[in-house]
Structure formats: C-alpha cells, structure tokens
Amino acid sequence: MKMFQKNKMMYLIVFAFLFNSCTTNKVADSLIQKSCKEASKSPSAYGNPHFIINCIASLKENPKSQKARNLGDLTMVATINAISNLTNVKRMVENIIKERKYKNDLTKKLLEECLKLYSNSSKLLTSGLNYVKMRNFDKATDDFLDAGDGPAFCGLKFNGDNQQISPVKEENIFLITMFQIPVTFAMELSHND
C-alpha cells in the first residue's frame, strides 16, 4: 500500500512540475509576443521590416527569457542578446584581420576602426544593462541608443565614395536590430515610470 501511495505522490509531483513548466512557457511566450509587437511601433524600430520577427526569435531562443515575468526582465535578456551578437561580430572582424581576409589596406584600416566602435558599443551595452538592473531606464535608454552608433558608423565607413564593401555588412544590419530591442523596451519602461 505504501508503494502505491509513493508512486501516486511521485506522479502528482511530476504532473505539477510539467503543468507549471507549460504555464510558465505560455506566460513568457505571451509576454515576448506582446512586448515585441508593442516595441515595433516605437520610433526607434520604425522602418525595420524584420524587427518583430527578429525580436521574437532572439528572445525565444534565449532560455533566460522563459523566466521573464515583465518587460524589465525581457530588457535584460534583450541586452544580453545584443552583447552576445556584438561579441560574435567583433570576433568575426578580428579573424578577418588576423587571417588577412580583407581586400586591401583601406579595408583593414576601416575594420580596425570598426573594432574600436564595437568596443565602445560593448561598454555602453554593459553600462545600460547595469542601469536596467537598477531600474534606471532613462539612463539605460541613453546608453543603448549610443551603443547603436557602433555598428551604424562601422557600416557608414564602407560607402560608395571609398569603393569598399564591408565584409560584415549583413552582420552590422542585424546588430542594429539587436540593439533596437533593448532600446525600445527601455524607452517604454522609462515612459511608464
């Protein structure tokens, strides 16, 4: 009889755990959908046709988003995603320089300037993340907006006038979107405070 009660208790615990997991995922997914849709209406996301898709996909693929209970939590996850993507692009550029996969000396010089811009963006994203943790969304927004200058100005360095094509053009465009996500979330939170 005791064995039956133990098994029954074990089944109840497993069921409760699974039910709670499913409910948690639905709450987080709903928060992600709602937040990304609302953020897409923001001026900083305006004109970016892929904003909602990239916003939802990037947040859903980060397991930390499943623990998010509010927009502040999602802002932290979005910032961590932006930092991660920036780090990957920075490594890519470092490898291009190291392996001499650039077309000429001007391209190398421009890529080195991009690395400086990326380093500054990384510092600003980290600072913005710290402001989010302190719930100072105005300062976080400022840092996130300034961080976006890195990939934007890197892309502008490769223009038609100097006849250079950025080897990380697509990555920079994606980075700008990844930076827009915490910007729009922090802006919304600063207006709600």
Side-chain angles (χ1 to χ4, degrees):
M1 187 70 165
K2 282 186 177 183
M3 185 63 124
F4 176 73
Q5 287 177 335
K6 283 184 181 179
N7 283 343
K8 187 176 179 183
M9 183 60 102
M10 183 62 106
Y11 285 123
L12 285 173
I13 291 171
V14 169
F15 176 75
F17 177 75
L18 289 173
F19 180 76
N20 188 37
S21 300
C22 292
T23 306
T24 301
N25 288 346
K26 286 181 182 178
V27 170
D29 286 349
S30 175
L31 177 64
I32 290 168
Q33 297 274 343
K34 179 182 169 221
S35 300
C36 289
K37 184 176 181 181
E38 196 61 37
S40 71
K41 299 173 188 173
S42 168
S44 67
Y46 182 75
N48 184 341
H50 305 291
F51 181 86
I52 292 178
I53 294 166
N54 290 330
C55 179
I56 292 169
S58 68
L59 291 171
K60 279 188 173 183
E61 74 182 26
N62 187 326
K64 292 180 182 179
S65 69
Q66 295 304 311
K67 296 177 184 174
R69 295 291 159 257
N70 55 51
L71 189 56
D73 293 345
L74 279 184
T75 305
M76 283 192 254
V77 174
T79 307
I80 291 165
N81 285 349
I83 292 168
S84 176
N85 278 280
L86 176 62
T87 301
N88 291 338
V89 174
K90 191 175 173 192
R91 278 191 203 124
M92 194 180 299
V93 171
E94 289 168 343
N95 285 335
I96 290 169
I97 293 170
K98 181 181 172 186
E99 296 171 9
R100 300 177 184 257
K101 290 185 177 178
Y102 46 86
K103 292 187 178 185
N104 55 45
D105 288 340
L106 179 57
T107 300
K108 179 185 177 190
K109 180 182 179 233
L110 296 175
L111 288 172
E112 288 169 341
E113 290 174 14
C114 287
L115 285 176
K116 291 176 188 172
L117 291 167
Y118 293 154
S119 291
N120 189 49
S121 290
S122 181
K123 289 175 191 169
L124 288 163
L125 286 172
T126 302
S127 173
L129 179 60
N130 289 329
Y131 282 125
V132 169
K133 290 175 182 177
M134 293 185 290
R135 305 201 52 80
N136 187 337
F137 299 111
D138 286 331
K139 288 192 177 188
T141 299
D142 292 341
D143 281 353
F144 295 152
L145 284 168
D146 290 344
D149 290 347
F153 287 136
C154 176
L156 289 173
K157 290 186 175 296
F158 293 88
N159 61 41
D161 294 342
N162 61 22
Q163 298 180 352
Q164 301 298 305
I165 298 171
S166 172
V168 290
K169 179 180 179 179
E170 294 303 315
E171 290 81 359
N172 271 330
I173 291 169
F174 186 72
L175 270 181
I176 291 168
T177 301
M178 289 297 97
F179 287 19
Q180 287 173 333
I181 298 168
V183 167
T184 56
F185 288 174
M187 277 181 165
E188 186 175 331
L189 288 163
S190 69
H191 293 301
N192 293 339
D193 280 348

